[in-house]
Amino acid sequence: MKKLSKVQLKQQAAVMAAVTSLEQQALAELAGVVQAWFSMEYEAFPGSLLVRLQFAEQAQLEAAQPQLLLWQKRLSALMLKKGFVLKDLRKHLVFTLSGPGD
């Protein structure tokens, strides 16, 4: 893997801070949240950003699904504070049962 540029390191730090904040909110407010994690392609950032909120069980995931839009808006607001605009906020956050290693 090639070394990240200064700009890419700043992008990564901003995303990490936003996702960490979102994760803390989710752990406090949503039942069954295990962790939040993200993936992105630096060449296509911020359009390639995908944040996943991982749940422990299917029932908890289904119970939280009606709140998905609220959490997508929260992620968008956190990223905006970091200076990045997510044009279609629905594409950047999903609820899942899968972990980063799955």
Side-chain angles (χ1 to χ4, degrees):
M1 188 169 140
K2 70 177 190 171
K3 189 175 176 183
L4 298 177
S5 70
K6 287 183 179 182
V7 171
Q8 290 170 332
L9 288 171
K10 284 183 181 180
Q11 290 171 341
Q12 185 180 39
V15 171
M16 184 65 80
V19 171
T20 300
S21 177
L22 187 77
E23 179 182 44
Q24 290 171 348
Q25 290 176 18
L27 288 168
E29 297 177 32
L30 292 174
V33 171
V34 176
Q35 66 180 341
W37 53 285
F38 70 93
S39 61
M40 66 183 190
E41 295 174 21
Y42 293 98
E43 297 80 22
F45 182 78
S48 66
L49 176 65
L50 179 57
V51 178
R52 297 168 184 89
L53 269 179
Q54 180 183 349
F55 286 81
E57 297 176 8
Q58 181 68 33
Q60 295 163 330
L61 173 72
E62 290 171 3
Q65 205 64 40
Q67 298 180 43
L68 179 58
L69 183 59
L70 169 72
W71 288 93
Q72 290 168 334
K73 288 178 182 178
R74 286 183 181 184
L75 174 64
S76 182
L78 288 167
M79 290 303 294
L80 189 58
K81 286 181 183 176
K82 299 291 181 187
F84 299 102
V85 176
L86 301 179
K87 293 188 178 174
D88 184 0
L89 58 94
R90 293 180 302 257
K91 294 187 340 186
H92 299 286
L93 175 71
V94 295
F95 290 168
T96 183
L97 294 173
S98 305
D102 296 344

